[in-house]
Amino acid sequence: MKNPKPTLLAFISAIVVAIVASLLTFIFSSEAKISILVFLTSIISGYFTFLYILQNFIYRKIKLVYKSIHQLKAGSDEISLKQKLSDDPLEMVNKEVLEWENEKLGEIEQLKKLEIYRKEFVANVTHELKTPLFSIQGYIHTLLDGALHDEEVNKMFLEKAARNVDRLTNLIADLEAITQLESGSYTLEKEVFDIHSLVKDVIESLEMKADKRRISLAFKKGCDKPFYVFGDKDKVRQVLINLIDNSIKYGKENGNTIISFYDMDENILTEITDDGNGIEEHHLNRLFERFYRADKSRSREIGGTGLGLSIVKHIIEAHDKTINVRSRVGVGTTFGFTLEKK
Ligand SMILES: Nc1ncnc2c1ncn2[C@@H]1O[C@H](COP(=O)(O)OP(=O)(O)OP(=O)(O)O)[C@@H](O)[C@H]1O
Ligand SMILES: [Mg+2]
């Protein structure tokens, strides 16, 4: 018997019934033997009868509770419910409540993490928005306060304001991208494409920017040929733009950015290598975090938001592939990511 309480109750009730029955027999027949016999028979039959009635009564209640729990939880179908009701109800309720408790505790934990993430995110975004906005405000007010008549100052201030507007536009675009990627509300549109030709497109679009710093963008020897991969071409384009753009921004003037492809049987490894100042080792494992910058002042000065690499990581991980970085101060930096080979 799994439940001791109904058993005890039934036993007490049976004793009460037996005492009453034997007292009545004793009063009417005045025979001790018959009374003892009646007493024992009453205990045994009373015990089982009460046990049966009590258990049925309690179990029916538990089944009702169990059914209500199930009805509260959406999605449980009738068949599995009927099957479960024929098992031991106490064990079922206990198991169900424990499962439910674990589920809810997990959800609470998740919500706490989300709340911390939300607070950090809002604080970072506010900070990032404030800096260019205050600059634009400053330039406009200075112009309005009289500098407007000086053509030289006029042009310089408007150029600076325009640069900050660009920075805001980039920040909004990056925020949109990261919000979409982190919410998971997108699907990868995978196709087979030649990553070498995609890199060529990206190089063309960034050529002017590279020319300004006299940085050459080129393929490694033997890599100027097609390499077919399977992935979301537009998202991979975003990855390449971020990585090649970083090599131009953080590479050294008159430097070189080399793009290499490696056939790794199941994957194609793409590497972007620059010969810039490099990144100190203690920054390397934090580089892919949102808003993290290794060289804060340089990064802000050239308008980086610190979101690029976290976007890149999201995209590559959404492909179930990996991204890594290696760097040596004074020598340069290499970012590498894999994609499925086709
Ligand atoms: N090739 C590189 N060489 C040296 N430092 C780099 C390189 N790439 C990235 N970094 C460092 O990593 C930081 C994060 O890069 P990330 O691309 O995420 O941001 P960002 O370039 O500053 O801004 P965004 O890409 O959002 O415009 C940069 O601020 C920079 O300090
Ligand atoms: Mg970047």
Side-chain angles (χ1 to χ4, degrees):
M1 213 54 57
K2 277 174 186 149
N3 193 5
K5 276 190 183 156
T7 321
L8 193 68
L9 265 171
F11 190 65
I12 292 167
S13 314
I15 288 180
V16 173
V17 170
I19 290 171
V20 173
S22 14
L23 269 176
L24 286 173
T25 325
F26 190 72
I27 289 164
F28 290 111
S29 70
S30 300
E31 274 238 25
K33 268 186 193 166
I34 299 175
S35 303
I36 290 168
L37 206 66
V38 170
F39 179 74
L40 289 175
T41 326
S42 308
I43 283 191
I44 296 165
S45 54
Y47 172 78
F48 284 110
T49 318
F50 275 109
L51 189 66
Y52 180 72
I53 296 168
L54 258 172
Q55 244 181 2
N56 263 351
F57 175 75
I58 293 168
Y59 277 21
R60 220 176 305 132
K61 292 266 175 215
I62 296 170
K63 279 184 185 182
L64 265 176
V65 176
Y66 181 68
K67 212 168 182 174
S68 315
I69 293 174
H70 257 274
Q71 275 160 359
L72 278 169
K73 290 164 88 180
S76 51
D77 56 67
E78 269 310 300
I79 301 164
S80 71
L81 184 66
K82 272 181 197 153
Q83 268 172 3
K84 281 181 182 169
L85 283 176
S86 64
D87 297 336
D88 177 23
L90 272 185
E91 221 171 79
M92 281 161 14
V93 172
N94 192 31
K95 197 171 151 239
E96 196 87 4
V97 171
L98 278 177
E99 274 173 16
W100 206 11
E101 186 195 4
N102 281 340
E103 207 177 284
K104 294 297 157 202
L105 284 176
E107 278 172 24
I108 291 171
E109 211 43 51
Q110 192 67 20
L111 282 174
K112 277 186 190 163
K113 274 190 198 150
L114 265 175
E115 183 56 14
I116 295 172
Y117 161 81
R118 194 191 59 78
K119 277 186 187 154
E120 272 179 15
F121 195 72
V122 171
N124 278 321
V125 170
T126 315
H127 179 78
E128 294 303 322
L129 284 172
K130 263 199 270 174
T131 321
L133 259 181
F134 286 167
S135 298
I136 297 168
Q137 199 180 31
Y139 295 130
I140 291 176
H141 281 302
T142 319
L143 286 174
L144 288 175
D145 288 348
L148 205 58
H149 305 294
D150 185 332
E151 221 169 274
E152 200 66 359
V153 176
N154 211 330
K155 189 165 179 281
M156 188 177 77
F157 276 23
L158 282 175
E159 271 171 3
K160 284 189 175 173
R163 263 206 299 281
N164 279 288
V165 170
D166 287 347
R167 189 168 159 182
L168 279 178
T169 316
N170 288 340
L171 175 64
I172 304 287
D174 278 356
L175 282 174
E176 259 175 359
I178 200 104
T179 312
Q180 194 206 32
L181 288 164
E182 288 193 349
S183 70
S185 62
Y186 69 99
T187 41
L188 292 177
E189 310 269 331
K190 285 189 179 177
E191 59 182 307
V192 177
F193 64 91
D194 171 20
I195 192 162
H196 161 263
S197 116
L198 185 63
V199 170
K200 259 185 147 172
D201 276 2
V202 172
I203 287 182
E204 255 176 53
S205 70
L206 291 173
E207 213 139 50
M208 261 174 53
K209 201 170 179 179
D211 283 349
K212 272 193 191 155
R213 303 202 68 222
R214 288 180 298 279
I215 288 178
S216 97
L217 307 173
F219 290 103
K220 188 183 169 173
K221 220 171 144 200
C223 291
D224 200 355
K225 62 178 191 191
F227 285 88
Y228 290 96
V229 292
F230 185 58
D232 186 320
K233 194 173 170 182
D234 281 335
K235 295 255 182 312
V236 176
R237 185 194 304 274
Q238 245 175 299
V239 169
L240 289 166
I241 290 178
N242 266 306
L243 296 180
I244 299 176
D245 179 60
N246 278 355
S247 80
I248 299 170
K249 285 196 298 194
Y250 306 110
K252 66 167 188 239
E253 273 194 61
N254 294 310
N256 297 289
T257 292
I258 309 282
I259 293 101
S260 342
F261 304 108
Y262 299 93
D263 189 331
M264 322 252 300
D265 292 336
E266 287 181 3
N267 293 315
I268 296 289
L269 167 69
T270 304
E271 284 195 344
I272 290 102
T273 304
D274 65 59
D275 52 2
N277 286 336
I279 305 162
E280 285 174 72
E281 200 174 337
H282 66 274
H283 291 300
L284 292 181
N285 57 353
R286 297 203 57 194
L287 223 50
F288 296 97
E289 288 174 19
R290 277 175 279 115
F291 299 107
Y292 192 84
R293 296 166 170 116
D295 184 346
K296 284 193 180 60
S297 54
R298 166 128 188 82
S299 179
R300 284 228 170 81
E301 178 197 311
I302 49 187
T305 63
L307 284 172
L309 286 177
S310 60
I311 293 174
V312 163
K313 188 168 187 268
H314 265 293
I315 294 175
I316 298 302
E317 286 182 351
H319 282 79
D320 288 324
K321 297 293 167 193
T322 51
I323 172 136
N324 60 68
V325 56
R326 50 183 196 276
S327 187
R328 273 178 64 198
V329 176
V331 178
T333 306
T334 298
F335 282 91
F337 64 90
T338 50
L339 280 174
E340 189 182 334
K341 178 182 149 187
K342 276 286 162 183

